[in-house]
Amino acid sequence: MNKLFQILGVFSLLLLLAAPTGAVAVDEATESVRVEVNGLVCAFCARGIRNTFNREAATADVLVSLENRLVAVEFKPGMSLSDDEITKRLVDSGYNVVSIERTSETVAAIRSSLD
Amino acid sequence: MNVLRMGVALAVLCCWWSAPSEARPITYTGGQVLVAEAQADQWQARYTYSHSFRHSTSVGYVRMEELRNTGQLELGYVRAAWLARRWNQPTSQGNLFVWGGLGYASTDLGSGIGRHVGFQADWETRRVYTAAVSELHDGSGWRHRNDTVSLGVAPFEHDFERTAVWLVGKGMRTTGMIDDKPKAALVLRLFNPSWWLEAGVDSNGKPLAFFMINL
């Protein structure tokens, strides 16, 4: 019986140790893209970018920054858009894509870093 | 460098060419805007649906008064607009739009088919805005052309969620008016992703206003 308690104790300890690892895993599951875009000069006109990505089922959050020539899109867990799909949506919105960078940052974190 | 040349060319154009506002005739895929504009002797209203960033369809109404030959003109029209060329640069964007349509016009001389064509060339950064717009309204026994050139300066660079503030100087002329001499105007322009508002005064001391809303 004591051996059973010892095994349960070790198992519980392992679970506790695993808990922080699980939290990190949630962060790592966040997938966003930072897209450098040419032509971003007018807020009224750039509204289409936000609307386009907000219509996507994969989108969790969108950031448009004229100052940084940046469009950032955060995806829902387990969902994403390919670079080609992102490029197509931005080109169809009337802009040119310079680069696409994948990141584990949330859009909220990207927004904070720009403030 | 091409952008610089285009900006200089538009600025030069401003010097010799002189009244529709230069809000873009196309927005983005699925975009819908309502536009209302008032000047000394003319009013416009328009609904535009953008099928893509290159094409849009509008239903519009123009009313002009103080016309030399026809007294006044009312034109209801349907038009299509096309983005012929766009130049996207890191800190600027230039555009060339053209449009045309048909409608039904009524003047003091009678009623009939009216035609409506125009173009807009614009170039902007977040601090400088230039545009040249020309619209021709044409029908049986009458023809009026609105030309506008604009040069705007923003006191600060706006960002996406902030309201942009611009001071815009305009040169305007409408042919066929009793007074068809070129006029100047100064307007304050405010816009954000949802709405666009301009208000100012022309060189005859008459007010002008423009409002556009993203639906």
Side-chain angles (χ1 to χ4, degrees):
Chain A
M1 196 63 164
N2 279 346
K3 190 150 189 155
L4 182 59
F5 280 121
Q6 281 174 355
I7 290 170
L8 283 172
V10 169
F11 187 68
S12 302
L13 187 62
L14 285 173
L15 277 179
L16 282 172
L17 288 172
T21 309
V24 171
V26 170
D27 282 346
E28 287 175 350
T30 300
E31 185 190 358
S32 301
V33 286
R34 299 174 65 115
V35 189
E36 185 182 345
V37 177
N38 275 356
L40 271 182
V41 293
C42 165
F44 193 89
C45 317
R47 175 182 162 124
I49 293 175
R50 187 176 65 184
N51 288 11
T52 294
F53 284 104
N54 275 338
R55 278 198 297 266
E56 294 289 338
T59 302
D61 200 0
V62 183
L63 166 69
V64 179
S65 169
L66 309 185
E67 170 74 29
N68 297 280
R69 295 183 280 146
L70 174 74
V71 174
V73 183
E74 179 182 332
F75 300 111
K76 292 174 182 168
M79 303 177 84
S80 185
L81 292 173
S82 69
D83 286 6
D84 286 347
E85 289 171 321
I86 291 164
T87 299
K88 181 174 187 333
R89 276 147 188 76
L90 285 163
V91 169
D92 286 349
S93 296
Y95 297 89
N96 290 2
V97 171
V98 178
S99 65
I100 300 177
E101 176 194 346
R102 301 269 162 181
T103 174
S104 59
E105 285 182 291
T106 63
V107 160
I110 296 170
R111 189 178 282 117
S112 297
S113 70
L114 299 178
D115 288 340
Chain B
M1 192 55 81
N2 284 338
V3 172
L4 184 63
R5 277 202 294 267
M6 187 178 170
V8 170
L10 276 173
V12 169
L13 202 59
C14 289
C15 295
W16 65 269
W17 188 47
S18 116
S21 181
E22 60 280 352
R24 292 174 179 176
I26 306 171
T27 54
Y28 51 86
T29 305
Q32 300 178 75
V33 295
L34 272 178
V35 169
E37 181 173 12
Q39 294 186 26
D41 302 314
Q42 48 186 297
W43 295 263
Q44 293 207 38
R46 187 168 60 249
Y47 164 81
T48 297
Y49 176 79
S50 295
H51 308 279
S52 71
F53 79 98
R54 288 201 176 275
H55 301 97
S56 72
T57 302
S58 299
V59 179
Y61 167 82
V62 180
R63 178 186 170 94
M64 301 169 75
E65 294 182 343
E66 305 292 325
L67 299 173
R68 190 182 302 131
N69 297 328
T70 57
Q72 70 171 33
L73 162 70
E74 287 185 283
L75 170 66
Y77 62 85
V78 177
R79 80 177 195 194
W82 174 52
L83 171 63
R85 186 75 197 271
R86 169 164 288 174
W87 295 266
N88 282 319
Q89 297 294 324
T91 58
S92 67
Q93 186 184 76
N95 297 284
L96 178 61
F97 298 97
V98 294
W99 57 85
L102 286 174
Y104 187 76
S106 172
T107 72
D108 288 355
L109 302 180
S111 303
I113 296 293
R115 291 170 289 274
H116 166 86
V117 294
F119 81 90
Q120 171 172 329
D122 61 54
W123 178 84
E124 65 182 301
T125 71
R126 292 167 62 217
R127 293 296 296 273
V128 177
Y129 179 87
T130 58
V133 187
S134 185
E135 273 190 336
L136 179 70
H137 309 298
D138 174 72
S140 179
W142 54 270
R143 172 175 286 189
H144 304 289
R145 202 180 78 226
N146 283 329
D147 299 325
T148 304
V149 290
S150 302
L151 179 62
V153 178
F156 60 87
E157 292 181 325
H158 73 288
D159 213 330
F160 184 66
E161 301 290 354
R162 303 280 298 277
T163 296
V165 178
W166 289 81
L167 196 60
V168 183
K170 299 186 180 197
M172 306 183 297
R173 183 180 180 220
T174 302
T175 62
M177 308 283 284
I178 292 172
D179 174 12
D180 65 359
K181 290 190 287 292
K183 290 181 290 191
L186 190 62
V187 302
L188 178 67
R189 173 182 296 172
L190 307 171
F191 66 81
N192 64 27
S194 299
W195 52 263
W196 176 306
L197 174 68
E198 286 183 21
V201 64
D202 69 19
S203 49
N204 293 335
K206 294 185 176 174
L208 57 160
F210 175 91
F211 182 67
M212 177 165 67
I213 186 165
N214 251 324
L215 300 175

